Amino acid sequence: MSLPRIRATTILAVRRDGRVAIGGDGQVSIGDTVAKNSAVKVRVLKGGRVVAGFAGSVADALTLFEMFEEKLERYPGNLPRAAVELAKEWRSDRVLRRLEAMLIVADADHGFMLSGNGELIEPDDGILAIGSGGTYAQAAARALLRETPLAPRDIVTKALTIAGEICIYTNTNITVLEPSV
């Protein structure tokens, strides 16, 4: 007998005019049951200059956050290099490769989606989305970015709300963070 699949999260990051915001919903589902409504899956790193969010296993994501913070310490002020180094280590290490999580990391200049498959993606339009409702949030954010003058924080909030109205694994209990710099 297999355990029900745990589904958690929609994470969205948006960059516009040198500003970035990242947000996530609060739902964690086990099978077809909502297990938690208020999980927080986004955080600030590096003294508030970097924002990050995860989808997938919490324990695995926390391990990856710690590893990423070490890379940020090793390459201060160089988010792209830190992201590349984490992706390389994650992909090449047999134990780390089994981690079941995805990350979005962003600062005022760059944003990346990272996975254990070696994926390291920086989008053309400044929008990154992962998780169960990621495609819904991304589509909504893309429309809002193109058609409105809204700030990144407002786009993230509105797009995640739309995703929460469509995706059964996403709710509208939203946490949004911005870097402090």
Side-chain angles (χ1 to χ4, degrees):
M1 185 170 109
S2 65
L3 296 174
R5 182 170 179 199
I6 297 177
R7 297 179 189 253
T9 290
T10 299
I11 302 293
L12 174 67
V14 174
R15 177 184 339 297
R16 171 181 259 175
D17 301 327
R19 294 173 53 200
V20 65
I22 192 167
D25 77 306
Q27 184 167 311
V28 176
S29 304
I30 299 176
D32 58 2
T33 303
V34 175
K36 184 171 180 145
N37 285 308
S38 59
V40 177
K41 302 161 236 172
V42 293
R43 60 173 45 180
V44 293
L45 306 172
K46 192 65 178 159
R49 291 185 303 230
V50 175
V51 291
F54 72 89
S57 165
V58 174
D60 292 353
L62 295 177
T63 298
L64 292 167
F65 276 152
E66 288 176 11
M67 290 176 57
F68 186 66
E69 284 186 300
E70 290 172 7
K71 301 300 182 201
L72 288 171
E73 290 296 322
R74 185 176 299 165
Y75 306 103
N78 192 344
L79 182 72
R81 179 72 188 268
V84 166
E85 293 301 321
L86 177 62
K88 284 171 37 180
E89 185 174 347
W90 189 358
R91 174 70 176 143
S92 63
D93 186 282
R94 287 179 188 240
V95 174
L96 294 178
R97 231 180 305 153
R98 292 188 177 112
L99 296 181
E100 295 183 14
M102 292 184 76
L103 297 181
I104 289 178
V105 296
D107 66 10
D109 300 313
H110 300 280
F112 298 96
M113 178 182 66
L114 296 100
S115 80
N117 296 329
E119 301 295 337
L120 177 66
I121 299 171
E122 183 171 25
D124 294 331
D125 61 4
I127 299 170
L128 289 157
I130 56 175
S132 302
T135 54
Y136 305 113
Q138 183 179 25
R142 195 167 277 164
L144 290 164
L145 190 66
R146 289 180 185 164
E147 303 299 328
T148 73
L150 292 172
R153 176 180 205 80
D154 298 326
I155 291 173
V156 168
T157 302
K158 289 180 182 297
L160 285 172
T161 300
I162 291 167
E165 294 168 350
I166 299 170
C167 178
I168 63 170
Y169 299 110
T170 303
N171 70 13
T172 56
N173 184 356
I174 296 165
T175 302
V176 180
L177 301 174
E178 297 174 290
S180 59
V181 175

